[in-house]
Amino acid sequence: MAKTNPFEFLQQVREEAAKVTWPTRRETMISTAMVFVMVAVAAVFFLLVDFGLHRGVQWILGIAG
C-alpha cells in the first residue's frame, strides 16, 4: 500500500465527500420523527411486557395484593 502525504489524503477525503448524496432537511426530519415514534412504541411495548411479567411472578409466588 502506497503512503500518501496528509495533503493528498485530505484532498481524497474532500473528493469522496463530494460524491456522497446527503439527505435533505425534510428527509432528515422525517427520519428523526420515525426514530422517536419507534422509540416510543418500543418503550410502551416493554412497559407492558414488564408489567405482565411482574403480575405473573406475583401471582405464581402468591404475593399479589
PDB file of all heavy atoms in Angstrom, residues 7-46:
ATOM      1  N   PHE A   7      -1.612  16.071   2.832  1.00  0.00           N
ATOM      2  CA  PHE A   7      -2.318  16.939   1.886  1.00  0.00           C
ATOM      3  C   PHE A   7      -3.100  16.106   0.881  1.00  0.00           C
ATOM      4  O   PHE A   7      -4.270  16.388   0.589  1.00  0.00           O
ATOM      5  CB  PHE A   7      -1.330  17.863   1.171  1.00  0.00           C
ATOM      6  CG  PHE A   7      -1.982  18.721   0.132  1.00  0.00           C
ATOM      7  CD1 PHE A   7      -2.763  19.809   0.492  1.00  0.00           C
ATOM      8  CD2 PHE A   7      -1.836  18.430  -1.220  1.00  0.00           C
ATOM      9  CE1 PHE A   7      -3.392  20.588  -0.471  1.00  0.00           C
ATOM     10  CE2 PHE A   7      -2.458  19.199  -2.186  1.00  0.00           C
ATOM     11  CZ  PHE A   7      -3.232  20.288  -1.809  1.00  0.00           C
ATOM     12  N   GLU A   8      -2.463  15.064   0.319  1.00  0.00           N
ATOM     13  CA  GLU A   8      -3.162  14.199  -0.641  1.00  0.00           C
ATOM     14  C   GLU A   8      -4.334  13.487   0.023  1.00  0.00           C
ATOM     15  O   GLU A   8      -5.400  13.332  -0.580  1.00  0.00           O
ATOM     16  CB  GLU A   8      -2.193  13.162  -1.210  1.00  0.00           C
ATOM     17  CG  GLU A   8      -1.176  13.715  -2.176  1.00  0.00           C
ATOM     18  CD  GLU A   8      -0.227  12.632  -2.658  1.00  0.00           C
ATOM     19  OE1 GLU A   8      -0.646  11.448  -2.713  1.00  0.00           O
ATOM     20  OE2 GLU A   8       0.926  12.964  -2.970  1.00  0.00           O
ATOM     21  N   PHE A   9      -4.132  13.060   1.260  1.00  0.00           N
ATOM     22  CA  PHE A   9      -5.206  12.383   1.981  1.00  0.00           C
ATOM     23  C   PHE A   9      -6.423  13.296   2.134  1.00  0.00           C
ATOM     24  O   PHE A   9      -7.550  12.889   1.858  1.00  0.00           O
ATOM     25  CB  PHE A   9      -4.705  11.929   3.357  1.00  0.00           C
ATOM     26  CG  PHE A   9      -5.786  11.336   4.209  1.00  0.00           C
ATOM     27  CD1 PHE A   9      -6.287  10.067   3.966  1.00  0.00           C
ATOM     28  CD2 PHE A   9      -6.319  12.067   5.260  1.00  0.00           C
ATOM     29  CE1 PHE A   9      -7.286   9.531   4.750  1.00  0.00           C
ATOM     30  CE2 PHE A   9      -7.324  11.544   6.057  1.00  0.00           C
ATOM     31  CZ  PHE A   9      -7.810  10.272   5.794  1.00  0.00           C
ATOM     32  N   LEU A  10      -6.198  14.528   2.571  1.00  0.00           N
ATOM     33  CA  LEU A  10      -7.298  15.471   2.737  1.00  0.00           C
ATOM     34  C   LEU A  10      -7.981  15.772   1.405  1.00  0.00           C
ATOM     35  O   LEU A  10      -9.208  15.930   1.341  1.00  0.00           O
ATOM     36  CB  LEU A  10      -6.817  16.755   3.400  1.00  0.00           C
ATOM     37  CG  LEU A  10      -6.408  16.609   4.871  1.00  0.00           C
ATOM     38  CD1 LEU A  10      -5.846  17.924   5.392  1.00  0.00           C
ATOM     39  CD2 LEU A  10      -7.589  16.166   5.707  1.00  0.00           C
ATOM     40  N   GLN A  11      -7.199  15.835   0.348  1.00  0.00           N
ATOM     41  CA  GLN A  11      -7.766  16.072  -0.974  1.00  0.00           C
ATOM     42  C   GLN A  11      -8.661  14.898  -1.384  1.00  0.00           C
ATOM     43  O   GLN A  11      -9.760  15.104  -1.908  1.00  0.00           O
ATOM     44  CB  GLN A  11      -6.634  16.261  -1.988  1.00  0.00           C
ATOM     45  CG  GLN A  11      -7.110  16.696  -3.352  1.00  0.00           C
ATOM     46  CD  GLN A  11      -5.931  16.962  -4.291  1.00  0.00           C
ATOM     47  OE1 GLN A  11      -4.809  16.596  -4.002  1.00  0.00           O
ATOM     48  NE2 GLN A  11      -6.221  17.605  -5.406  1.00  0.00           N
ATOM     49  N   GLN A  12      -8.202  13.681  -1.113  1.00  0.00           N
ATOM     50  CA  GLN A  12      -9.007  12.498  -1.436  1.00  0.00           C
ATOM     51  C   GLN A  12     -10.285  12.453  -0.594  1.00  0.00           C
ATOM     52  O   GLN A  12     -11.352  12.070  -1.096  1.00  0.00           O
ATOM     53  CB  GLN A  12      -8.189  11.223  -1.223  1.00  0.00           C
ATOM     54  CG  GLN A  12      -7.071  11.055  -2.227  1.00  0.00           C
ATOM     55  CD  GLN A  12      -6.161   9.890  -1.871  1.00  0.00           C
ATOM     56  OE1 GLN A  12      -6.354   9.217  -0.869  1.00  0.00           O
ATOM     57  NE2 GLN A  12      -5.160   9.662  -2.712  1.00  0.00           N
ATOM     58  N   VAL A  13     -10.185  12.839   0.661  1.00  0.00           N
ATOM     59  CA  VAL A  13     -11.365  12.869   1.526  1.00  0.00           C
ATOM     60  C   VAL A  13     -12.400  13.849   0.981  1.00  0.00           C
ATOM     61  O   VAL A  13     -13.592  13.549   0.924  1.00  0.00           O
ATOM     62  CB  VAL A  13     -10.973  13.229   2.977  1.00  0.00           C
ATOM     63  CG1 VAL A  13     -12.206  13.546   3.812  1.00  0.00           C
ATOM     64  CG2 VAL A  13     -10.168  12.109   3.612  1.00  0.00           C
ATOM     65  N   ARG A  14     -11.944  15.017   0.569  1.00  0.00           N
ATOM     66  CA  ARG A  14     -12.868  16.016   0.008  1.00  0.00           C
ATOM     67  C   ARG A  14     -13.525  15.504  -1.277  1.00  0.00           C
ATOM     68  O   ARG A  14     -14.722  15.720  -1.505  1.00  0.00           O
ATOM     69  CB  ARG A  14     -12.143  17.328  -0.259  1.00  0.00           C
ATOM     70  CG  ARG A  14     -11.723  18.025   1.030  1.00  0.00           C
ATOM     71  CD  ARG A  14     -11.128  19.351   0.750  1.00  0.00           C
ATOM     72  NE  ARG A  14     -12.242  20.273   0.475  1.00  0.00           N
ATOM     73  CZ  ARG A  14     -12.095  21.516   0.093  1.00  0.00           C
ATOM     74  NH1 ARG A  14     -10.884  22.017  -0.081  1.00  0.00           N
ATOM     75  NH2 ARG A  14     -13.132  22.283  -0.117  1.00  0.00           N
ATOM     76  N   GLU A  15     -12.750  14.814  -2.114  1.00  0.00           N
ATOM     77  CA  GLU A  15     -13.303  14.269  -3.352  1.00  0.00           C
ATOM     78  C   GLU A  15     -14.371  13.211  -3.061  1.00  0.00           C
ATOM     79  O   GLU A  15     -15.418  13.183  -3.702  1.00  0.00           O
ATOM     80  CB  GLU A  15     -12.188  13.653  -4.205  1.00  0.00           C
ATOM     81  CG  GLU A  15     -11.256  14.671  -4.825  1.00  0.00           C
ATOM     82  CD  GLU A  15     -10.050  14.026  -5.497  1.00  0.00           C
ATOM     83  OE1 GLU A  15      -9.993  12.780  -5.562  1.00  0.00           O
ATOM     84  OE2 GLU A  15      -9.169  14.773  -5.957  1.00  0.00           O
ATOM     85  N   GLU A  16     -14.095  12.341  -2.097  1.00  0.00           N
ATOM     86  CA  GLU A  16     -15.066  11.305  -1.748  1.00  0.00           C
ATOM     87  C   GLU A  16     -16.303  11.906  -1.096  1.00  0.00           C
ATOM     88  O   GLU A  16     -17.423  11.461  -1.352  1.00  0.00           O
ATOM     89  CB  GLU A  16     -14.428  10.263  -0.821  1.00  0.00           C
ATOM     90  CG  GLU A  16     -13.383   9.399  -1.489  1.00  0.00           C
ATOM     91  CD  GLU A  16     -13.937   8.590  -2.652  1.00  0.00           C
ATOM     92  OE1 GLU A  16     -15.059   8.053  -2.539  1.00  0.00           O
ATOM     93  OE2 GLU A  16     -13.246   8.502  -3.685  1.00  0.00           O
ATOM     94  N   ALA A  17     -16.132  12.913  -0.245  1.00  0.00           N
ATOM     95  CA  ALA A  17     -17.275  13.560   0.399  1.00  0.00           C
ATOM     96  C   ALA A  17     -18.163  14.262  -0.631  1.00  0.00           C
ATOM     97  O   ALA A  17     -19.384  14.353  -0.449  1.00  0.00           O
ATOM     98  CB  ALA A  17     -16.795  14.551   1.453  1.00  0.00           C
ATOM     99  N   ALA A  18     -17.561  14.737  -1.701  1.00  0.00           N
ATOM    100  CA  ALA A  18     -18.340  15.398  -2.751  1.00  0.00           C
ATOM    101  C   ALA A  18     -19.224  14.399  -3.491  1.00  0.00           C
ATOM    102  O   ALA A  18     -20.254  14.771  -4.057  1.00  0.00           O
ATOM    103  CB  ALA A  18     -17.418  16.107  -3.728  1.00  0.00           C
ATOM    104  N   LYS A  19     -18.857  13.112  -3.479  1.00  0.00           N
ATOM    105  CA  LYS A  19     -19.628  12.079  -4.172  1.00  0.00           C
ATOM    106  C   LYS A  19     -20.840  11.620  -3.364  1.00  0.00           C
ATOM    107  O   LYS A  19     -21.734  10.986  -3.902  1.00  0.00           O
ATOM    108  CB  LYS A  19     -18.745  10.860  -4.445  1.00  0.00           C
ATOM    109  CG  LYS A  19     -17.610  11.112  -5.402  1.00  0.00           C
ATOM    110  CD  LYS A  19     -16.778   9.848  -5.550  1.00  0.00           C
ATOM    111  CE  LYS A  19     -15.532  10.084  -6.375  1.00  0.00           C
ATOM    112  NZ  LYS A  19     -14.713   8.853  -6.465  1.00  0.00           N
ATOM    113  N   VAL A  20     -20.859  11.944  -2.086  1.00  0.00           N
ATOM    114  CA  VAL A  20     -21.931  11.475  -1.208  1.00  0.00           C
ATOM    115  C   VAL A  20     -23.222  12.218  -1.512  1.00  0.00           C
ATOM    116  O   VAL A  20     -23.220  13.431  -1.712  1.00  0.00           O
ATOM    117  CB  VAL A  20     -21.534  11.676   0.276  1.00  0.00           C
ATOM    118  CG1 VAL A  20     -22.699  11.337   1.200  1.00  0.00           C
ATOM    119  CG2 VAL A  20     -20.308  10.864   0.618  1.00  0.00           C
ATOM    120  N   THR A  21     -24.321  11.467  -1.537  1.00  0.00           N
ATOM    121  CA  THR A  21     -25.635  12.081  -1.678  1.00  0.00           C
ATOM    122  C   THR A  21     -26.167  12.338  -0.276  1.00  0.00           C
ATOM    123  O   THR A  21     -26.608  11.413   0.406  1.00  0.00           O
ATOM    124  CB  THR A  21     -26.597  11.155  -2.447  1.00  0.00           C
ATOM    125  OG1 THR A  21     -26.018  10.834  -3.705  1.00  0.00           O
ATOM    126  CG2 THR A  21     -27.944  11.815  -2.642  1.00  0.00           C
ATOM    127  N   TRP A  22     -26.100  13.580   0.158  1.00  0.00           N
ATOM    128  CA  TRP A  22     -26.516  13.937   1.510  1.00  0.00           C
ATOM    129  C   TRP A  22     -28.023  14.064   1.566  1.00  0.00           C
ATOM    130  O   TRP A  22     -28.658  14.521   0.616  1.00  0.00           O
ATOM    131  CB  TRP A  22     -25.850  15.250   1.936  1.00  0.00           C
ATOM    132  CG  TRP A  22     -24.360  15.144   1.966  1.00  0.00           C
ATOM    133  CD1 TRP A  22     -23.493  15.602   1.028  1.00  0.00           C
ATOM    134  CD2 TRP A  22     -23.566  14.497   2.958  1.00  0.00           C
ATOM    135  NE1 TRP A  22     -22.207  15.294   1.393  1.00  0.00           N
ATOM    136  CE2 TRP A  22     -22.219  14.626   2.569  1.00  0.00           C
ATOM    137  CE3 TRP A  22     -23.864  13.834   4.144  1.00  0.00           C
ATOM    138  CZ2 TRP A  22     -21.177  14.100   3.319  1.00  0.00           C
ATOM    139  CZ3 TRP A  22     -22.824  13.321   4.889  1.00  0.00           C
ATOM    140  CH2 TRP A  22     -21.505  13.454   4.482  1.00  0.00           C
ATOM    141  N   PRO A  23     -28.648  13.679   2.688  1.00  0.00           N
ATOM    142  CA  PRO A  23     -30.112  13.802   2.800  1.00  0.00           C
ATOM    143  C   PRO A  23     -30.530  15.268   2.902  1.00  0.00           C
ATOM    144  O   PRO A  23     -29.795  16.104   3.417  1.00  0.00           O
ATOM    145  CB  PRO A  23     -30.433  13.054   4.104  1.00  0.00           C
ATOM    146  CG  PRO A  23     -29.168  13.091   4.894  1.00  0.00           C
ATOM    147  CD  PRO A  23     -28.052  13.094   3.888  1.00  0.00           C
ATOM    148  N   THR A  24     -31.736  15.524   2.426  1.00  0.00           N
ATOM    149  CA  THR A  24     -32.282  16.874   2.533  1.00  0.00           C
ATOM    150  C   THR A  24     -32.749  17.112   3.967  1.00  0.00           C
ATOM    151  O   THR A  24     -32.859  16.182   4.772  1.00  0.00           O
ATOM    152  CB  THR A  24     -33.474  17.058   1.586  1.00  0.00           C
ATOM    153  OG1 THR A  24     -34.515  16.171   2.001  1.00  0.00           O
ATOM    154  CG2 THR A  24     -33.097  16.778   0.141  1.00  0.00           C
ATOM    155  N   ARG A  25     -33.037  18.361   4.282  1.00  0.00           N
ATOM    156  CA  ARG A  25     -33.538  18.685   5.623  1.00  0.00           C
ATOM    157  C   ARG A  25     -34.846  17.937   5.884  1.00  0.00           C
ATOM    158  O   ARG A  25     -35.061  17.414   6.978  1.00  0.00           O
ATOM    159  CB  ARG A  25     -33.757  20.192   5.752  1.00  0.00           C
ATOM    160  CG  ARG A  25     -34.334  20.602   7.105  1.00  0.00           C
ATOM    161  CD  ARG A  25     -34.527  22.081   7.244  1.00  0.00           C
ATOM    162  NE  ARG A  25     -33.306  22.839   7.335  1.00  0.00           N
ATOM    163  CZ  ARG A  25     -32.565  22.964   8.435  1.00  0.00           C
ATOM    164  NH1 ARG A  25     -32.928  22.324   9.525  1.00  0.00           N
ATOM    165  NH2 ARG A  25     -31.482  23.692   8.442  1.00  0.00           N
ATOM    166  N   ARG A  26     -35.718  17.862   4.878  1.00  0.00           N
ATOM    167  CA  ARG A  26     -37.010  17.169   5.039  1.00  0.00           C
ATOM    168  C   ARG A  26     -36.791  15.691   5.325  1.00  0.00           C
ATOM    169  O   ARG A  26     -37.442  15.121   6.209  1.00  0.00           O
ATOM    170  CB  ARG A  26     -37.843  17.353   3.777  1.00  0.00           C
ATOM    171  CG  ARG A  26     -39.226  16.767   3.868  1.00  0.00           C
ATOM    172  CD  ARG A  26     -40.068  17.141   2.645  1.00  0.00           C
ATOM    173  NE  ARG A  26     -41.446  16.765   2.805  1.00  0.00           N
ATOM    174  CZ  ARG A  26     -41.928  15.549   2.533  1.00  0.00           C
ATOM    175  NH1 ARG A  26     -41.124  14.618   2.073  1.00  0.00           N
ATOM    176  NH2 ARG A  26     -43.199  15.284   2.711  1.00  0.00           N
ATOM    177  N   GLU A  27     -35.894  15.035   4.587  1.00  0.00           N
ATOM    178  CA  GLU A  27     -35.606  13.619   4.817  1.00  0.00           C
ATOM    179  C   GLU A  27     -35.044  13.389   6.220  1.00  0.00           C
ATOM    180  O   GLU A  27     -35.408  12.411   6.889  1.00  0.00           O
ATOM    181  CB  GLU A  27     -34.606  13.103   3.780  1.00  0.00           C
ATOM    182  CG  GLU A  27     -35.159  13.006   2.387  1.00  0.00           C
ATOM    183  CD  GLU A  27     -34.106  12.703   1.344  1.00  0.00           C
ATOM    184  OE1 GLU A  27     -32.918  13.037   1.573  1.00  0.00           O
ATOM    185  OE2 GLU A  27     -34.474  12.130   0.304  1.00  0.00           O
ATOM    186  N   THR A  28     -34.193  14.294   6.664  1.00  0.00           N
ATOM    187  CA  THR A  28     -33.613  14.173   7.999  1.00  0.00           C
ATOM    188  C   THR A  28     -34.693  14.320   9.070  1.00  0.00           C
ATOM    189  O   THR A  28     -34.712  13.558  10.046  1.00  0.00           O
ATOM    190  CB  THR A  28     -32.520  15.236   8.208  1.00  0.00           C
ATOM    191  OG1 THR A  28     -31.540  15.084   7.179  1.00  0.00           O
ATOM    192  CG2 THR A  28     -31.856  15.093   9.545  1.00  0.00           C
ATOM    193  N   MET A  29     -35.598  15.273   8.885  1.00  0.00           N
ATOM    194  CA  MET A  29     -36.667  15.479   9.859  1.00  0.00           C
ATOM    195  C   MET A  29     -37.614  14.277   9.908  1.00  0.00           C
ATOM    196  O   MET A  29     -38.030  13.850  10.988  1.00  0.00           O
ATOM    197  CB  MET A  29     -37.446  16.759   9.534  1.00  0.00           C
ATOM    198  CG  MET A  29     -36.612  18.029   9.660  1.00  0.00           C
ATOM    199  SD  MET A  29     -35.917  18.266  11.294  1.00  0.00           S
ATOM    200  CE  MET A  29     -37.355  18.764  12.184  1.00  0.00           C
ATOM    201  N   ILE A  30     -37.950  13.727   8.748  1.00  0.00           N
ATOM    202  CA  ILE A  30     -38.839  12.562   8.698  1.00  0.00           C
ATOM    203  C   ILE A  30     -38.171  11.362   9.370  1.00  0.00           C
ATOM    204  O   ILE A  30     -38.808  10.652  10.164  1.00  0.00           O
ATOM    205  CB  ILE A  30     -39.236  12.238   7.247  1.00  0.00           C
ATOM    206  CG1 ILE A  30     -40.181  13.311   6.709  1.00  0.00           C
ATOM    207  CG2 ILE A  30     -39.876  10.862   7.143  1.00  0.00           C
ATOM    208  CD1 ILE A  30     -40.475  13.196   5.232  1.00  0.00           C
ATOM    209  N   SER A  31     -36.913  11.144   9.085  1.00  0.00           N
ATOM    210  CA  SER A  31     -36.189  10.029   9.711  1.00  0.00           C
ATOM    211  C   SER A  31     -36.110  10.207  11.222  1.00  0.00           C
ATOM    212  O   SER A  31     -36.280   9.241  11.977  1.00  0.00           O
ATOM    213  CB  SER A  31     -34.780   9.912   9.128  1.00  0.00           C
ATOM    214  OG  SER A  31     -34.828   9.610   7.759  1.00  0.00           O
ATOM    215  N   THR A  32     -35.862  11.420  11.661  1.00  0.00           N
ATOM    216  CA  THR A  32     -35.794  11.693  13.098  1.00  0.00           C
ATOM    217  C   THR A  32     -37.136  11.428  13.763  1.00  0.00           C
ATOM    218  O   THR A  32     -37.200  10.800  14.830  1.00  0.00           O
ATOM    219  CB  THR A  32     -35.359  13.151  13.336  1.00  0.00           C
ATOM    220  OG1 THR A  32     -34.089  13.363  12.720  1.00  0.00           O
ATOM    221  CG2 THR A  32     -35.269  13.466  14.818  1.00  0.00           C
ATOM    222  N   ALA A  33     -38.212  11.878  13.139  1.00  0.00           N
ATOM    223  CA  ALA A  33     -39.547  11.641  13.689  1.00  0.00           C
ATOM    224  C   ALA A  33     -39.853  10.153  13.745  1.00  0.00           C
ATOM    225  O   ALA A  33     -40.423   9.663  14.738  1.00  0.00           O
ATOM    226  CB  ALA A  33     -40.598  12.371  12.846  1.00  0.00           C
ATOM    227  N   MET A  34     -39.466   9.408  12.723  1.00  0.00           N
ATOM    228  CA  MET A  34     -39.701   7.968  12.711  1.00  0.00           C
ATOM    229  C   MET A  34     -38.938   7.285  13.843  1.00  0.00           C
ATOM    230  O   MET A  34     -39.471   6.369  14.493  1.00  0.00           O
ATOM    231  CB  MET A  34     -39.296   7.373  11.360  1.00  0.00           C
ATOM    232  CG  MET A  34     -40.251   7.729  10.247  1.00  0.00           C
ATOM    233  SD  MET A  34     -39.717   7.265   8.577  1.00  0.00           S
ATOM    234  CE  MET A  34     -39.067   5.652   8.778  1.00  0.00           C
ATOM    235  N   VAL A  35     -37.734   7.729  14.107  1.00  0.00           N
ATOM    236  CA  VAL A  35     -36.951   7.157  15.203  1.00  0.00           C
ATOM    237  C   VAL A  35     -37.644   7.416  16.536  1.00  0.00           C
ATOM    238  O   VAL A  35     -37.777   6.512  17.373  1.00  0.00           O
ATOM    239  CB  VAL A  35     -35.511   7.709  15.199  1.00  0.00           C
ATOM    240  CG1 VAL A  35     -34.790   7.372  16.497  1.00  0.00           C
ATOM    241  CG2 VAL A  35     -34.739   7.178  14.007  1.00  0.00           C
ATOM    242  N   PHE A  36     -38.102   8.649  16.758  1.00  0.00           N
ATOM    243  CA  PHE A  36     -38.789   8.972  18.012  1.00  0.00           C
ATOM    244  C   PHE A  36     -40.065   8.149  18.176  1.00  0.00           C
ATOM    245  O   PHE A  36     -40.368   7.672  19.275  1.00  0.00           O
ATOM    246  CB  PHE A  36     -39.099  10.466  18.101  1.00  0.00           C
ATOM    247  CG  PHE A  36     -37.922  11.298  18.508  1.00  0.00           C
ATOM    248  CD1 PHE A  36     -37.452  12.292  17.668  1.00  0.00           C
ATOM    249  CD2 PHE A  36     -37.286  11.090  19.716  1.00  0.00           C
ATOM    250  CE1 PHE A  36     -36.359  13.068  18.038  1.00  0.00           C
ATOM    251  CE2 PHE A  36     -36.199  11.856  20.098  1.00  0.00           C
ATOM    252  CZ  PHE A  36     -35.732  12.849  19.253  1.00  0.00           C
ATOM    253  N   VAL A  37     -40.820   7.970  17.095  1.00  0.00           N
ATOM    254  CA  VAL A  37     -42.046   7.172  17.168  1.00  0.00           C
ATOM    255  C   VAL A  37     -41.723   5.727  17.507  1.00  0.00           C
ATOM    256  O   VAL A  37     -42.364   5.114  18.382  1.00  0.00           O
ATOM    257  CB  VAL A  37     -42.845   7.273  15.841  1.00  0.00           C
ATOM    258  CG1 VAL A  37     -43.943   6.221  15.785  1.00  0.00           C
ATOM    259  CG2 VAL A  37     -43.420   8.667  15.682  1.00  0.00           C
ATOM    260  N   MET A  38     -40.719   5.166  16.870  1.00  0.00           N
ATOM    261  CA  MET A  38     -40.358   3.775  17.140  1.00  0.00           C
ATOM    262  C   MET A  38     -39.824   3.597  18.558  1.00  0.00           C
ATOM    263  O   MET A  38     -40.078   2.570  19.198  1.00  0.00           O
ATOM    264  CB  MET A  38     -39.333   3.278  16.113  1.00  0.00           C
ATOM    265  CG  MET A  38     -39.907   3.105  14.722  1.00  0.00           C
ATOM    266  SD  MET A  38     -41.399   2.087  14.675  1.00  0.00           S
ATOM    267  CE  MET A  38     -40.785   0.533  15.237  1.00  0.00           C
ATOM    268  N   VAL A  39     -39.104   4.575  19.070  1.00  0.00           N
ATOM    269  CA  VAL A  39     -38.632   4.516  20.459  1.00  0.00           C
ATOM    270  C   VAL A  39     -39.823   4.523  21.408  1.00  0.00           C
ATOM    271  O   VAL A  39     -39.858   3.761  22.385  1.00  0.00           O
ATOM    272  CB  VAL A  39     -37.656   5.672  20.754  1.00  0.00           C
ATOM    273  CG1 VAL A  39     -37.423   5.832  22.239  1.00  0.00           C
ATOM    274  CG2 VAL A  39     -36.334   5.443  20.036  1.00  0.00           C
ATOM    275  N   ALA A  40     -40.806   5.365  21.134  1.00  0.00           N
ATOM    276  CA  ALA A  40     -41.994   5.425  21.981  1.00  0.00           C
ATOM    277  C   ALA A  40     -42.762   4.104  21.931  1.00  0.00           C
ATOM    278  O   ALA A  40     -43.208   3.595  22.971  1.00  0.00           O
ATOM    279  CB  ALA A  40     -42.894   6.586  21.553  1.00  0.00           C
ATOM    280  N   VAL A  41     -42.912   3.535  20.750  1.00  0.00           N
ATOM    281  CA  VAL A  41     -43.613   2.252  20.607  1.00  0.00           C
ATOM    282  C   VAL A  41     -42.866   1.157  21.369  1.00  0.00           C
ATOM    283  O   VAL A  41     -43.479   0.359  22.095  1.00  0.00           O
ATOM    284  CB  VAL A  41     -43.781   1.885  19.113  1.00  0.00           C
ATOM    285  CG1 VAL A  41     -44.236   0.450  18.946  1.00  0.00           C
ATOM    286  CG2 VAL A  41     -44.749   2.840  18.439  1.00  0.00           C
ATOM    287  N   ALA A  42     -41.555   1.110  21.228  1.00  0.00           N
ATOM    288  CA  ALA A  42     -40.758   0.104  21.939  1.00  0.00           C
ATOM    289  C   ALA A  42     -40.861   0.298  23.449  1.00  0.00           C
ATOM    290  O   ALA A  42     -40.957  -0.682  24.203  1.00  0.00           O
ATOM    291  CB  ALA A  42     -39.301   0.168  21.489  1.00  0.00           C
ATOM    292  N   ALA A  43     -40.857   1.540  23.905  1.00  0.00           N
ATOM    293  CA  ALA A  43     -40.953   1.808  25.338  1.00  0.00           C
ATOM    294  C   ALA A  43     -42.288   1.321  25.893  1.00  0.00           C
ATOM    295  O   ALA A  43     -42.336   0.686  26.951  1.00  0.00           O
ATOM    296  CB  ALA A  43     -40.777   3.301  25.607  1.00  0.00           C
ATOM    297  N   VAL A  44     -43.375   1.592  25.182  1.00  0.00           N
ATOM    298  CA  VAL A  44     -44.693   1.137  25.637  1.00  0.00           C
ATOM    299  C   VAL A  44     -44.754  -0.389  25.620  1.00  0.00           C
ATOM    300  O   VAL A  44     -45.268  -1.016  26.562  1.00  0.00           O
ATOM    301  CB  VAL A  44     -45.813   1.753  24.758  1.00  0.00           C
ATOM    302  CG1 VAL A  44     -47.153   1.091  25.047  1.00  0.00           C
ATOM    303  CG2 VAL A  44     -45.885   3.252  24.979  1.00  0.00           C
ATOM    304  N   PHE A  45     -44.220  -1.002  24.577  1.00  0.00           N
ATOM    305  CA  PHE A  45     -44.202  -2.463  24.490  1.00  0.00           C
ATOM    306  C   PHE A  45     -43.485  -3.072  25.687  1.00  0.00           C
ATOM    307  O   PHE A  45     -43.998  -3.973  26.358  1.00  0.00           O
ATOM    308  CB  PHE A  45     -43.541  -2.902  23.179  1.00  0.00           C
ATOM    309  CG  PHE A  45     -43.289  -4.387  23.111  1.00  0.00           C
ATOM    310  CD1 PHE A  45     -44.332  -5.264  22.852  1.00  0.00           C
ATOM    311  CD2 PHE A  45     -42.017  -4.891  23.306  1.00  0.00           C
ATOM    312  CE1 PHE A  45     -44.110  -6.638  22.802  1.00  0.00           C
ATOM    313  CE2 PHE A  45     -41.785  -6.251  23.253  1.00  0.00           C
ATOM    314  CZ  PHE A  45     -42.835  -7.126  22.998  1.00  0.00           C
ATOM    315  N   PHE A  46     -42.278  -2.595  25.980  1.00  0.00           N
ATOM    316  CA  PHE A  46     -41.520  -3.160  27.088  1.00  0.00           C
ATOM    317  C   PHE A  46     -42.148  -2.826  28.442  1.00  0.00           C
ATOM    318  O   PHE A  46     -42.037  -3.616  29.389  1.00  0.00           O
ATOM    319  CB  PHE A  46     -40.059  -2.732  27.023  1.00  0.00           C
ATOM    320  CG  PHE A  46     -39.302  -3.440  25.946  1.00  0.00           C
ATOM    321  CD1 PHE A  46     -38.792  -2.740  24.869  1.00  0.00           C
ATOM    322  CD2 PHE A  46     -39.104  -4.807  26.000  1.00  0.00           C
ATOM    323  CE1 PHE A  46     -38.095  -3.399  23.871  1.00  0.00           C
ATOM    324  CE2 PHE A  46     -38.420  -5.474  25.006  1.00  0.00           C
ATOM    325  CZ  PHE A  46     -37.907  -4.767  23.929  1.00  0.00           C
TER     326      PHE A  46
END
